[in-house]
Amino acid sequence: MSSKIYFSDKSDAKSVRFYAMQILSKSMHSVMPGTAQKYAKKLLMTPVRHNVKQTVPVRFKSDVLASKLGPIHVISAGEGPVVLFTHGWSGSASQFYALMDHVVALGFKVVAFDHYAHGQSGGDQANLPKFICALNAVLEMIAQPVKAIISHSMGGIAALNSDWQIEQHILIAPPFDFYAGFRDRILSIGIVESLFTDVLASIENEHDMKFSDLLPEQQLINHSKITIIHDIEDKFARHDLAYEQAQQHAHIDIYSTQGLGHGRILNSQQVWRHVGECLMSHMS
């Protein structure tokens, strides 16, 4: 259900369903705040699992990493400097298979994983702090320098918030102005703002992370080399905001595409070539 909220490109016109949700969420939050939070979390924090039953191709090694928040499905292939891949909301490691093959052919070891409640990993609900926790758990498992992190969508925010020093970040379709967009999409379905605020506060307290500290704009200065790959027609992560960040920071390059949108950009040979050029140009 959450993917229909976050990845909807419908107009802002208010429907009967919007007003029904507004009345229901307001009344439940007033009378039964704990129950209202529980159901709001289930509605908003449950991603769609893609490719759950898809067999991992034999060219990739498949492992399960035990972590404090549940099992994480990890795949890897190749030899050489490590390149880590991290997907976005309602995505999975399988989205990167073709790009990973391309990177392996360049002489790298590739590692990808399914976030909590995604793909073949454990858990029923996800959120940004859990994305960060899962990424840090995988980085700790790798236990060696990581040449680059290639991230898609919300996975890029997690990557920028990583506790580890990474030589290079390649952000594909990163969502800047994340909090405002997140809030607007949730309020647009009729969830009252007081309930939205309480849900976020509950998540912050659970993981000891403040959403206001995790915004990608604030994390850019903590990394030395960033490349943004973004389609100008992306309906879910605004290209103009990414371009603005690239203009403000000398250590950020931006490569713009057209006609690939938010998801198809991962399966573009044009993008694969540029990723390869970025990785090879910064070989030490």
Side-chain angles (χ1 to χ4, degrees):
M1 175 61 185
S2 63
S3 292
K4 294 180 180 179
I5 299 170
Y6 305 138
F7 296 105
S8 173
D9 57 358
K10 294 181 180 178
S11 69
D12 293 331
K14 301 295 188 295
S15 65
V16 173
R17 181 177 296 180
F18 168 85
Y19 292 108
M21 175 65 78
Q22 194 171 57
I23 293 170
L24 178 62
S25 63
K26 184 176 182 179
S27 60
M28 282 191 66
H29 190 226
S30 298
V31 178
M32 300 178 292
T35 301
Q37 277 194 40
K38 176 182 177 181
Y39 282 101
K41 282 185 178 180
K42 185 175 181 179
L43 173 67
L44 302 173
M45 305 299 165
T46 304
V48 174
R49 286 186 186 262
H50 292 292
N51 302 322
V52 178
K53 298 181 180 180
Q54 179 179 346
T55 302
V56 176
V58 293
R59 63 186 182 277
F60 295 117
K61 180 183 177 183
S62 182
D63 292 297
V64 176
L65 168 64
S67 75
K68 63 181 181 180
L69 295 179
I72 301 173
H73 177 232
V74 182
I75 64 171
S76 59
E79 298 291 339
V82 176
V83 176
L84 178 60
F85 294 75
T86 175
H87 65 77
W89 188 262
S90 286
S92 70
S94 62
Q95 291 177 284
F96 293 116
Y97 285 168
L99 178 54
M100 290 169 71
D101 282 334
H102 180 75
V103 173
V104 167
L106 296 175
F108 295 92
K109 177 179 180 178
V110 295
V111 180
F113 65 99
D114 295 327
H115 278 284
Y116 297 119
H118 289 75
Q120 298 180 40
S121 288
D124 298 318
Q125 295 181 14
N127 52 54
L128 180 55
K130 283 188 175 182
F131 264 57
I132 296 168
C133 290
L135 177 63
N136 284 331
V138 174
L139 284 165
E140 184 174 359
M141 178 206 73
I142 292 172
Q144 67 182 89
V146 173
K147 168 69 180 177
I149 293 182
I150 298 176
S151 57
H152 179 239
S153 193
M154 191 171 123
I157 305 179
L160 292 174
N161 279 280
S162 167
D163 293 336
W164 296 67
Q165 290 297 316
I166 307 299
E167 183 177 338
Q168 183 181 11
H169 283 270
I170 300 177
L171 310 176
I172 303 177
F176 291 100
D177 199 22
F178 174 76
Y179 180 86
F182 181 58
R183 172 186 174 276
D184 290 348
R185 287 184 182 276
I186 288 175
L187 298 187
S188 72
I189 68 168
I191 295 288
V192 292
E193 187 160 9
S194 58
L195 177 54
F196 166 74
T197 301
D198 282 358
V199 167
L200 259 60
S202 173
I203 293 170
E204 289 177 335
N205 291 335
E206 179 183 355
H207 298 284
D208 194 24
M209 297 184 194
K210 295 289 185 182
F211 280 93
S212 58
D213 296 333
L214 306 178
L215 301 180
E217 294 88 343
Q218 298 175 197
Q219 302 301 321
L220 295 172
I221 60 173
N222 297 325
H223 306 278
S224 59
K225 180 58 186 175
I226 298 173
T227 298
I228 296 174
I229 302 177
H230 210 136
D231 194 84
I232 63 175
E233 298 177 16
D234 191 325
K235 296 180 180 179
F236 308 112
R238 289 171 51 185
H239 174 273
D240 62 312
L241 297 179
Y243 184 82
E244 181 180 302
Q245 293 300 320
Q247 298 307 301
Q248 292 178 8
H249 300 280
H251 68 294
I252 300 177
D253 295 323
I254 187 165
Y255 178 76
S256 301
T257 64
Q258 186 168 10
L260 298 177
H262 191 70
R264 293 192 309 278
I265 195 168
L266 293 176
N267 293 313
S268 164
Q269 293 190 15
Q270 171 188 357
V271 170
W272 300 347
R273 286 194 296 270
H274 191 70
V275 167
E277 291 169 1
C278 291
L279 292 173
M280 299 305 291
S281 67
H282 294 97
M283 290 294 290
S284 56

